Amino acid sequence: AAWCASSMMAGNVAQKAQLSQQGIVNAMLTLMSGAISDVRNEAASAIYNYVCDPNGQGADPERVKEALSEEVLTSFVAVLTGPNIEAARVALDVLHIALSQPGGATYVERCGGMEALDNLIYMNGHDETLKEKAAFLSDTYFFNCFINL
């Protein structure tokens, strides 16, 4: 069911609004924080599809506010430490969306995101593309925080 919801959430703005009104978004948010790994990964993809603009214009700020609570972001951060590379890619994309919002770096840091990014970058055995994406996010959104200290 989460896979089906993920596909539907890749639809247009009207379809996403309908899914939200029907409670599908809330169901996926619930699955993100408590389901078994495979279901949680599909729910993560569904949430990513929901917050992305269907016209390729980035993320919709209203849907980001609705879907990316601190609890959900913490669940995405936890996915970064798991064995599923594809799920970690989705989690990095969601963190990128969250980081690009006003105050996003502070918000992601509170959820353990900065530490998780560092672990991806510096731990052995991780996929190189994950390391590169984590380094990009860390350098882009957190590096300036330390320069201004």
Side-chain angles (χ1 to χ4, degrees):
W3 173 81
C4 183
S6 178
S7 295
M8 290 187 298
M9 287 192 195
N12 63 40
V13 173
Q15 291 167 326
K16 291 179 183 199
Q18 184 68 26
L19 291 167
S20 181
Q21 291 170 354
Q22 296 299 318
I24 303 297
V25 174
N26 286 335
M28 294 301 106
L29 295 173
T30 300
L31 290 174
M32 263 303 294
S33 58
I36 61 172
S37 180
D38 290 345
V39 175
R40 189 174 53 241
N41 294 343
E42 287 301 331
S45 293
I47 293 167
Y48 172 75
N49 288 339
Y50 180 72
V51 299
C52 287
D53 185 302
N55 300 317
Q57 303 297 318
D60 179 288
E62 291 304 312
R63 286 195 297 268
V64 170
K65 274 189 208 175
E66 176 187 358
L68 297 184
S69 69
E70 192 166 324
E71 179 182 351
V72 172
L73 264 183
T74 300
S75 294
F76 275 106
V77 167
V79 168
L80 292 177
T81 63
N84 188 319
I85 291 173
E86 202 52 46
R89 280 192 183 101
V90 171
L92 285 172
D93 288 340
V94 169
L95 287 181
H96 192 181
I97 289 169
L99 286 164
S100 68
Q101 304 303 306
T106 302
Y107 192 54
V108 169
E109 184 177 7
R110 271 199 324 254
C111 297
M114 193 165 120
E115 182 179 345
L117 290 173
D118 282 346
N119 286 340
L120 272 178
I121 295 166
Y122 298 111
M123 299 286 279
N124 290 329
H126 285 97
D127 181 83
E128 281 302 312
T129 59
L130 292 180
K131 286 182 176 189
E132 289 171 11
K133 176 82 176 200
F136 168 79
L137 295 176
S138 183
D139 290 348
T140 302
Y141 295 102
F142 293 110
F143 183 71
N144 288 334
C145 296
F146 296 111
I147 289 179
N148 296 324
L149 289 177

PDB file of all heavy atoms in Angstrom, residues 117-148:
ATOM      1  N   LEU A 117      25.235  13.083   8.715  1.00  0.00           N
ATOM      2  CA  LEU A 117      25.959  13.422   7.487  1.00  0.00           C
ATOM      3  C   LEU A 117      27.453  13.177   7.674  1.00  0.00           C
ATOM      4  O   LEU A 117      28.109  12.602   6.799  1.00  0.00           O
ATOM      5  CB  LEU A 117      25.702  14.880   7.092  1.00  0.00           C
ATOM      6  CG  LEU A 117      24.297  15.215   6.595  1.00  0.00           C
ATOM      7  CD1 LEU A 117      24.144  16.719   6.415  1.00  0.00           C
ATOM      8  CD2 LEU A 117      23.966  14.468   5.324  1.00  0.00           C
ATOM      9  N   ASP A 118      27.983  13.612   8.815  1.00  0.00           N
ATOM     10  CA  ASP A 118      29.409  13.380   9.094  1.00  0.00           C
ATOM     11  C   ASP A 118      29.736  11.888   9.113  1.00  0.00           C
ATOM     12  O   ASP A 118      30.770  11.470   8.592  1.00  0.00           O
ATOM     13  CB  ASP A 118      29.813  14.011  10.429  1.00  0.00           C
ATOM     14  CG  ASP A 118      30.008  15.514  10.322  1.00  0.00           C
ATOM     15  OD1 ASP A 118      30.088  16.026   9.187  1.00  0.00           O
ATOM     16  OD2 ASP A 118      30.089  16.166  11.370  1.00  0.00           O
ATOM     17  N   ASN A 119      28.859  11.097   9.709  1.00  0.00           N
ATOM     18  CA  ASN A 119      29.091   9.649   9.745  1.00  0.00           C
ATOM     19  C   ASN A 119      29.118   9.056   8.340  1.00  0.00           C
ATOM     20  O   ASN A 119      29.940   8.200   8.056  1.00  0.00           O
ATOM     21  CB  ASN A 119      28.032   8.948  10.594  1.00  0.00           C
ATOM     22  CG  ASN A 119      28.242   9.183  12.069  1.00  0.00           C
ATOM     23  OD1 ASN A 119      29.328   9.545  12.512  1.00  0.00           O
ATOM     24  ND2 ASN A 119      27.198   9.003  12.840  1.00  0.00           N
ATOM     25  N   LEU A 120      28.229   9.522   7.480  1.00  0.00           N
ATOM     26  CA  LEU A 120      28.239   9.032   6.097  1.00  0.00           C
ATOM     27  C   LEU A 120      29.536   9.413   5.387  1.00  0.00           C
ATOM     28  O   LEU A 120      30.085   8.635   4.621  1.00  0.00           O
ATOM     29  CB  LEU A 120      27.065   9.606   5.310  1.00  0.00           C
ATOM     30  CG  LEU A 120      25.762   8.857   5.339  1.00  0.00           C
ATOM     31  CD1 LEU A 120      24.701   9.595   4.538  1.00  0.00           C
ATOM     32  CD2 LEU A 120      25.911   7.451   4.807  1.00  0.00           C
ATOM     33  N   ILE A 121      30.009  10.611   5.647  1.00  0.00           N
ATOM     34  CA  ILE A 121      31.205  11.106   4.963  1.00  0.00           C
ATOM     35  C   ILE A 121      32.452  10.362   5.425  1.00  0.00           C
ATOM     36  O   ILE A 121      33.285   9.972   4.610  1.00  0.00           O
ATOM     37  CB  ILE A 121      31.386  12.621   5.211  1.00  0.00           C
ATOM     38  CG1 ILE A 121      30.229  13.403   4.588  1.00  0.00           C
ATOM     39  CG2 ILE A 121      32.718  13.115   4.656  1.00  0.00           C
ATOM     40  CD1 ILE A 121      30.129  14.843   5.067  1.00  0.00           C
ATOM     41  N   TYR A 122      32.589  10.143   6.722  1.00  0.00           N
ATOM     42  CA  TYR A 122      33.856   9.671   7.277  1.00  0.00           C
ATOM     43  C   TYR A 122      33.906   8.190   7.651  1.00  0.00           C
ATOM     44  O   TYR A 122      34.974   7.681   7.940  1.00  0.00           O
ATOM     45  CB  TYR A 122      34.241  10.520   8.489  1.00  0.00           C
ATOM     46  CG  TYR A 122      34.446  11.963   8.096  1.00  0.00           C
ATOM     47  CD1 TYR A 122      33.569  12.948   8.513  1.00  0.00           C
ATOM     48  CD2 TYR A 122      35.509  12.328   7.273  1.00  0.00           C
ATOM     49  CE1 TYR A 122      33.747  14.268   8.130  1.00  0.00           C
ATOM     50  CE2 TYR A 122      35.688  13.643   6.882  1.00  0.00           C
ATOM     51  CZ  TYR A 122      34.803  14.603   7.320  1.00  0.00           C
ATOM     52  OH  TYR A 122      34.978  15.906   6.929  1.00  0.00           O
ATOM     53  N   MET A 123      32.786   7.504   7.619  1.00  0.00           N
ATOM     54  CA  MET A 123      32.788   6.076   7.958  1.00  0.00           C
ATOM     55  C   MET A 123      33.142   5.264   6.719  1.00  0.00           C
ATOM     56  O   MET A 123      32.715   5.580   5.620  1.00  0.00           O
ATOM     57  CB  MET A 123      31.423   5.639   8.488  1.00  0.00           C
ATOM     58  CG  MET A 123      30.984   6.357   9.747  1.00  0.00           C
ATOM     59  SD  MET A 123      31.834   5.828  11.205  1.00  0.00           S
ATOM     60  CE  MET A 123      30.929   4.367  11.578  1.00  0.00           C
ATOM     61  N   ASN A 124      33.904   4.215   6.899  1.00  0.00           N
ATOM     62  CA  ASN A 124      34.265   3.334   5.793  1.00  0.00           C
ATOM     63  C   ASN A 124      33.078   2.456   5.411  1.00  0.00           C
ATOM     64  O   ASN A 124      32.215   2.169   6.234  1.00  0.00           O
ATOM     65  CB  ASN A 124      35.444   2.441   6.186  1.00  0.00           C
ATOM     66  CG  ASN A 124      36.725   3.234   6.316  1.00  0.00           C
ATOM     67  OD1 ASN A 124      36.905   4.231   5.622  1.00  0.00           O
ATOM     68  ND2 ASN A 124      37.605   2.797   7.192  1.00  0.00           N
ATOM     69  N   GLY A 125      33.055   2.020   4.170  1.00  0.00           N
ATOM     70  CA  GLY A 125      32.066   1.059   3.731  1.00  0.00           C
ATOM     71  C   GLY A 125      30.787   1.650   3.163  1.00  0.00           C
ATOM     72  O   GLY A 125      29.893   0.912   2.796  1.00  0.00           O
ATOM     73  N   HIS A 126      30.678   2.959   3.085  1.00  0.00           N
ATOM     74  CA  HIS A 126      29.474   3.552   2.528  1.00  0.00           C
ATOM     75  C   HIS A 126      29.646   3.794   1.029  1.00  0.00           C
ATOM     76  O   HIS A 126      30.746   3.952   0.523  1.00  0.00           O
ATOM     77  CB  HIS A 126      29.135   4.876   3.231  1.00  0.00           C
ATOM     78  CG  HIS A 126      28.556   4.689   4.587  1.00  0.00           C
ATOM     79  ND1 HIS A 126      29.301   4.758   5.724  1.00  0.00           N
ATOM     80  CD2 HIS A 126      27.299   4.406   4.989  1.00  0.00           C
ATOM     81  CE1 HIS A 126      28.537   4.544   6.771  1.00  0.00           C
ATOM     82  NE2 HIS A 126      27.318   4.322   6.357  1.00  0.00           N
ATOM     83  N   ASP A 127      28.548   3.835   0.352  1.00  0.00           N
ATOM     84  CA  ASP A 127      28.498   4.106  -1.070  1.00  0.00           C
ATOM     85  C   ASP A 127      29.105   5.487  -1.369  1.00  0.00           C
ATOM     86  O   ASP A 127      28.802   6.464  -0.673  1.00  0.00           O
ATOM     87  CB  ASP A 127      27.027   4.050  -1.508  1.00  0.00           C
ATOM     88  CG  ASP A 127      26.837   4.290  -2.957  1.00  0.00           C
ATOM     89  OD1 ASP A 127      26.990   3.336  -3.726  1.00  0.00           O
ATOM     90  OD2 ASP A 127      26.530   5.443  -3.330  1.00  0.00           O
ATOM     91  N   GLU A 128      29.939   5.570  -2.382  1.00  0.00           N
ATOM     92  CA  GLU A 128      30.626   6.836  -2.703  1.00  0.00           C
ATOM     93  C   GLU A 128      29.657   7.956  -3.075  1.00  0.00           C
ATOM     94  O   GLU A 128      29.880   9.105  -2.718  1.00  0.00           O
ATOM     95  CB  GLU A 128      31.647   6.630  -3.829  1.00  0.00           C
ATOM     96  CG  GLU A 128      32.942   6.005  -3.364  1.00  0.00           C
ATOM     97  CD  GLU A 128      33.654   6.797  -2.268  1.00  0.00           C
ATOM     98  OE1 GLU A 128      33.810   8.028  -2.398  1.00  0.00           O
ATOM     99  OE2 GLU A 128      34.053   6.174  -1.271  1.00  0.00           O
ATOM    100  N   THR A 129      28.578   7.628  -3.789  1.00  0.00           N
ATOM    101  CA  THR A 129      27.628   8.684  -4.151  1.00  0.00           C
ATOM    102  C   THR A 129      26.920   9.224  -2.910  1.00  0.00           C
ATOM    103  O   THR A 129      26.616  10.419  -2.851  1.00  0.00           O
ATOM    104  CB  THR A 129      26.606   8.208  -5.196  1.00  0.00           C
ATOM    105  OG1 THR A 129      25.890   7.097  -4.683  1.00  0.00           O
ATOM    106  CG2 THR A 129      27.271   7.833  -6.505  1.00  0.00           C
ATOM    107  N   LEU A 130      26.685   8.357  -1.927  1.00  0.00           N
ATOM    108  CA  LEU A 130      26.098   8.831  -0.671  1.00  0.00           C
ATOM    109  C   LEU A 130      27.067   9.754   0.058  1.00  0.00           C
ATOM    110  O   LEU A 130      26.674  10.795   0.588  1.00  0.00           O
ATOM    111  CB  LEU A 130      25.729   7.663   0.243  1.00  0.00           C
ATOM    112  CG  LEU A 130      24.585   6.761  -0.190  1.00  0.00           C
ATOM    113  CD1 LEU A 130      24.367   5.657   0.836  1.00  0.00           C
ATOM    114  CD2 LEU A 130      23.313   7.548  -0.398  1.00  0.00           C
ATOM    115  N   LYS A 131      28.334   9.364   0.082  1.00  0.00           N
ATOM    116  CA  LYS A 131      29.352  10.202   0.726  1.00  0.00           C
ATOM    117  C   LYS A 131      29.437  11.571   0.056  1.00  0.00           C
ATOM    118  O   LYS A 131      29.510  12.603   0.724  1.00  0.00           O
ATOM    119  CB  LYS A 131      30.723   9.530   0.662  1.00  0.00           C
ATOM    120  CG  LYS A 131      30.897   8.373   1.605  1.00  0.00           C
ATOM    121  CD  LYS A 131      32.306   7.815   1.506  1.00  0.00           C
ATOM    122  CE  LYS A 131      32.527   6.714   2.503  1.00  0.00           C
ATOM    123  NZ  LYS A 131      33.912   6.292   2.598  1.00  0.00           N
ATOM    124  N   GLU A 132      29.422  11.581  -1.274  1.00  0.00           N
ATOM    125  CA  GLU A 132      29.512  12.845  -2.016  1.00  0.00           C
ATOM    126  C   GLU A 132      28.312  13.740  -1.736  1.00  0.00           C
ATOM    127  O   GLU A 132      28.457  14.944  -1.524  1.00  0.00           O
ATOM    128  CB  GLU A 132      29.637  12.569  -3.511  1.00  0.00           C
ATOM    129  CG  GLU A 132      30.975  11.981  -3.899  1.00  0.00           C
ATOM    130  CD  GLU A 132      31.019  11.502  -5.341  1.00  0.00           C
ATOM    131  OE1 GLU A 132      30.074  11.803  -6.120  1.00  0.00           O
ATOM    132  OE2 GLU A 132      31.991  10.817  -5.694  1.00  0.00           O
ATOM    133  N   LYS A 133      27.114  13.161  -1.746  1.00  0.00           N
ATOM    134  CA  LYS A 133      25.902  13.944  -1.476  1.00  0.00           C
ATOM    135  C   LYS A 133      25.917  14.458  -0.039  1.00  0.00           C
ATOM    136  O   LYS A 133      25.590  15.619   0.218  1.00  0.00           O
ATOM    137  CB  LYS A 133      24.662  13.078  -1.730  1.00  0.00           C
ATOM    138  CG  LYS A 133      23.350  13.727  -1.400  1.00  0.00           C
ATOM    139  CD  LYS A 133      22.872  14.625  -2.496  1.00  0.00           C
ATOM    140  CE  LYS A 133      21.489  15.171  -2.154  1.00  0.00           C
ATOM    141  NZ  LYS A 133      20.765  15.658  -3.280  1.00  0.00           N
ATOM    142  N   ALA A 134      26.327  13.617   0.910  1.00  0.00           N
ATOM    143  CA  ALA A 134      26.407  14.041   2.315  1.00  0.00           C
ATOM    144  C   ALA A 134      27.426  15.167   2.471  1.00  0.00           C
ATOM    145  O   ALA A 134      27.177  16.140   3.193  1.00  0.00           O
ATOM    146  CB  ALA A 134      26.767  12.855   3.204  1.00  0.00           C
ATOM    147  N   ALA A 135      28.568  15.063   1.794  1.00  0.00           N
ATOM    148  CA  ALA A 135      29.598  16.114   1.863  1.00  0.00           C
ATOM    149  C   ALA A 135      29.072  17.416   1.274  1.00  0.00           C
ATOM    150  O   ALA A 135      29.302  18.501   1.824  1.00  0.00           O
ATOM    151  CB  ALA A 135      30.858  15.663   1.137  1.00  0.00           C
ATOM    152  N   PHE A 136      28.352  17.320   0.166  1.00  0.00           N
ATOM    153  CA  PHE A 136      27.767  18.514  -0.453  1.00  0.00           C
ATOM    154  C   PHE A 136      26.810  19.205   0.522  1.00  0.00           C
ATOM    155  O   PHE A 136      26.875  20.420   0.712  1.00  0.00           O
ATOM    156  CB  PHE A 136      27.034  18.145  -1.753  1.00  0.00           C
ATOM    157  CG  PHE A 136      26.188  19.261  -2.283  1.00  0.00           C
ATOM    158  CD1 PHE A 136      26.774  20.308  -2.980  1.00  0.00           C
ATOM    159  CD2 PHE A 136      24.818  19.275  -2.075  1.00  0.00           C
ATOM    160  CE1 PHE A 136      25.990  21.355  -3.457  1.00  0.00           C
ATOM    161  CE2 PHE A 136      24.036  20.313  -2.550  1.00  0.00           C
ATOM    162  CZ  PHE A 136      24.621  21.355  -3.245  1.00  0.00           C
ATOM    163  N   LEU A 137      25.918  18.427   1.140  1.00  0.00           N
ATOM    164  CA  LEU A 137      24.957  19.013   2.077  1.00  0.00           C
ATOM    165  C   LEU A 137      25.659  19.624   3.284  1.00  0.00           C
ATOM    166  O   LEU A 137      25.326  20.727   3.718  1.00  0.00           O
ATOM    167  CB  LEU A 137      23.940  17.960   2.524  1.00  0.00           C
ATOM    168  CG  LEU A 137      23.014  17.424   1.439  1.00  0.00           C
ATOM    169  CD1 LEU A 137      22.121  16.323   1.999  1.00  0.00           C
ATOM    170  CD2 LEU A 137      22.189  18.529   0.821  1.00  0.00           C
ATOM    171  N   SER A 138      26.645  18.915   3.814  1.00  0.00           N
ATOM    172  CA  SER A 138      27.383  19.408   4.968  1.00  0.00           C
ATOM    173  C   SER A 138      28.111  20.708   4.633  1.00  0.00           C
ATOM    174  O   SER A 138      28.022  21.693   5.374  1.00  0.00           O
ATOM    175  CB  SER A 138      28.373  18.341   5.441  1.00  0.00           C
ATOM    176  OG  SER A 138      29.043  18.770   6.584  1.00  0.00           O
ATOM    177  N   ASP A 139      28.811  20.710   3.509  1.00  0.00           N
ATOM    178  CA  ASP A 139      29.566  21.907   3.103  1.00  0.00           C
ATOM    179  C   ASP A 139      28.643  23.076   2.780  1.00  0.00           C
ATOM    180  O   ASP A 139      28.910  24.212   3.146  1.00  0.00           O
ATOM    181  CB  ASP A 139      30.438  21.612   1.884  1.00  0.00           C
ATOM    182  CG  ASP A 139      31.597  20.684   2.199  1.00  0.00           C
ATOM    183  OD1 ASP A 139      31.869  20.446   3.397  1.00  0.00           O
ATOM    184  OD2 ASP A 139      32.214  20.188   1.236  1.00  0.00           O
ATOM    185  N   THR A 140      27.551  22.796   2.104  1.00  0.00           N
ATOM    186  CA  THR A 140      26.643  23.853   1.660  1.00  0.00           C
ATOM    187  C   THR A 140      25.866  24.475   2.810  1.00  0.00           C
ATOM    188  O   THR A 140      25.720  25.697   2.877  1.00  0.00           O
ATOM    189  CB  THR A 140      25.654  23.295   0.612  1.00  0.00           C
ATOM    190  OG1 THR A 140      26.398  22.756  -0.478  1.00  0.00           O
ATOM    191  CG2 THR A 140      24.716  24.378   0.109  1.00  0.00           C
ATOM    192  N   TYR A 141      25.370  23.663   3.723  1.00  0.00           N
ATOM    193  CA  TYR A 141      24.444  24.177   4.735  1.00  0.00           C
ATOM    194  C   TYR A 141      25.030  24.315   6.130  1.00  0.00           C
ATOM    195  O   TYR A 141      24.485  25.041   6.948  1.00  0.00           O
ATOM    196  CB  TYR A 141      23.191  23.298   4.774  1.00  0.00           C
ATOM    197  CG  TYR A 141      22.422  23.374   3.487  1.00  0.00           C
ATOM    198  CD1 TYR A 141      22.498  22.357   2.549  1.00  0.00           C
ATOM    199  CD2 TYR A 141      21.646  24.493   3.188  1.00  0.00           C
ATOM    200  CE1 TYR A 141      21.803  22.430   1.349  1.00  0.00           C
ATOM    201  CE2 TYR A 141      20.955  24.577   1.997  1.00  0.00           C
ATOM    202  CZ  TYR A 141      21.035  23.551   1.077  1.00  0.00           C
ATOM    203  OH  TYR A 141      20.350  23.636  -0.111  1.00  0.00           O
ATOM    204  N   PHE A 142      26.134  23.619   6.422  1.00  0.00           N
ATOM    205  CA  PHE A 142      26.677  23.695   7.774  1.00  0.00           C
ATOM    206  C   PHE A 142      28.033  24.383   7.841  1.00  0.00           C
ATOM    207  O   PHE A 142      28.388  24.921   8.874  1.00  0.00           O
ATOM    208  CB  PHE A 142      26.770  22.294   8.400  1.00  0.00           C
ATOM    209  CG  PHE A 142      25.436  21.679   8.651  1.00  0.00           C
ATOM    210  CD1 PHE A 142      25.009  20.595   7.905  1.00  0.00           C
ATOM    211  CD2 PHE A 142      24.592  22.185   9.631  1.00  0.00           C
ATOM    212  CE1 PHE A 142      23.767  20.020   8.124  1.00  0.00           C
ATOM    213  CE2 PHE A 142      23.348  21.621   9.851  1.00  0.00           C
ATOM    214  CZ  PHE A 142      22.939  20.543   9.099  1.00  0.00           C
ATOM    215  N   PHE A 143      28.810  24.389   6.790  1.00  0.00           N
ATOM    216  CA  PHE A 143      30.145  24.974   6.812  1.00  0.00           C
ATOM    217  C   PHE A 143      30.113  26.447   7.187  1.00  0.00           C
ATOM    218  O   PHE A 143      30.893  26.898   8.016  1.00  0.00           O
ATOM    219  CB  PHE A 143      30.833  24.787   5.455  1.00  0.00           C
ATOM    220  CG  PHE A 143      32.243  25.302   5.431  1.00  0.00           C
ATOM    221  CD1 PHE A 143      33.244  24.625   6.118  1.00  0.00           C
ATOM    222  CD2 PHE A 143      32.578  26.453   4.730  1.00  0.00           C
ATOM    223  CE1 PHE A 143      34.540  25.096   6.108  1.00  0.00           C
ATOM    224  CE2 PHE A 143      33.874  26.919   4.717  1.00  0.00           C
ATOM    225  CZ  PHE A 143      34.851  26.247   5.402  1.00  0.00           C
ATOM    226  N   ASN A 144      29.165  27.193   6.625  1.00  0.00           N
ATOM    227  CA  ASN A 144      29.064  28.627   6.924  1.00  0.00           C
ATOM    228  C   ASN A 144      28.730  28.895   8.383  1.00  0.00           C
ATOM    229  O   ASN A 144      29.075  29.946   8.917  1.00  0.00           O
ATOM    230  CB  ASN A 144      28.035  29.304   6.011  1.00  0.00           C
ATOM    231  CG  ASN A 144      28.543  29.422   4.590  1.00  0.00           C
ATOM    232  OD1 ASN A 144      29.746  29.460   4.352  1.00  0.00           O
ATOM    233  ND2 ASN A 144      27.629  29.469   3.657  1.00  0.00           N
ATOM    234  N   CYS A 145      28.053  27.956   9.033  1.00  0.00           N
ATOM    235  CA  CYS A 145      27.741  28.122  10.456  1.00  0.00           C
ATOM    236  C   CYS A 145      29.001  28.250  11.278  1.00  0.00           C
ATOM    237  O   CYS A 145      29.059  28.998  12.247  1.00  0.00           O
ATOM    238  CB  CYS A 145      26.926  26.935  10.965  1.00  0.00           C
ATOM    239  SG  CYS A 145      25.312  26.775  10.201  1.00  0.00           S
ATOM    240  N   PHE A 146      30.062  27.518  10.908  1.00  0.00           N
ATOM    241  CA  PHE A 146      31.287  27.523  11.672  1.00  0.00           C
ATOM    242  C   PHE A 146      32.190  28.695  11.335  1.00  0.00           C
ATOM    243  O   PHE A 146      32.940  29.156  12.161  1.00  0.00           O
ATOM    244  CB  PHE A 146      32.036  26.197  11.469  1.00  0.00           C
ATOM    245  CG  PHE A 146      31.263  25.031  11.986  1.00  0.00           C
ATOM    246  CD1 PHE A 146      30.735  24.089  11.119  1.00  0.00           C
ATOM    247  CD2 PHE A 146      31.020  24.877  13.340  1.00  0.00           C
ATOM    248  CE1 PHE A 146      30.005  23.019  11.601  1.00  0.00           C
ATOM    249  CE2 PHE A 146      30.299  23.818  13.827  1.00  0.00           C
ATOM    250  CZ  PHE A 146      29.782  22.885  12.957  1.00  0.00           C
ATOM    251  N   ILE A 147      32.080  29.200  10.132  1.00  0.00           N
ATOM    252  CA  ILE A 147      32.892  30.354   9.739  1.00  0.00           C
ATOM    253  C   ILE A 147      32.475  31.590  10.513  1.00  0.00           C
ATOM    254  O   ILE A 147      33.292  32.425  10.871  1.00  0.00           O
ATOM    255  CB  ILE A 147      32.786  30.591   8.211  1.00  0.00           C
ATOM    256  CG1 ILE A 147      33.522  29.476   7.483  1.00  0.00           C
ATOM    257  CG2 ILE A 147      33.325  31.954   7.812  1.00  0.00           C
ATOM    258  CD1 ILE A 147      33.467  29.569   5.990  1.00  0.00           C
ATOM    259  N   ASN A 148      31.184  31.702  10.796  1.00  0.00           N
ATOM    260  CA  ASN A 148      30.660  32.893  11.453  1.00  0.00           C
ATOM    261  C   ASN A 148      30.768  32.859  12.971  1.00  0.00           C
ATOM    262  O   ASN A 148      30.310  33.755  13.645  1.00  0.00           O
ATOM    263  CB  ASN A 148      29.190  33.098  11.059  1.00  0.00           C
ATOM    264  CG  ASN A 148      29.051  33.377   9.580  1.00  0.00           C
ATOM    265  OD1 ASN A 148      29.890  34.040   8.990  1.00  0.00           O
ATOM    266  ND2 ASN A 148      27.994  32.859   8.970  1.00  0.00           N
TER     267      ASN A 148
END
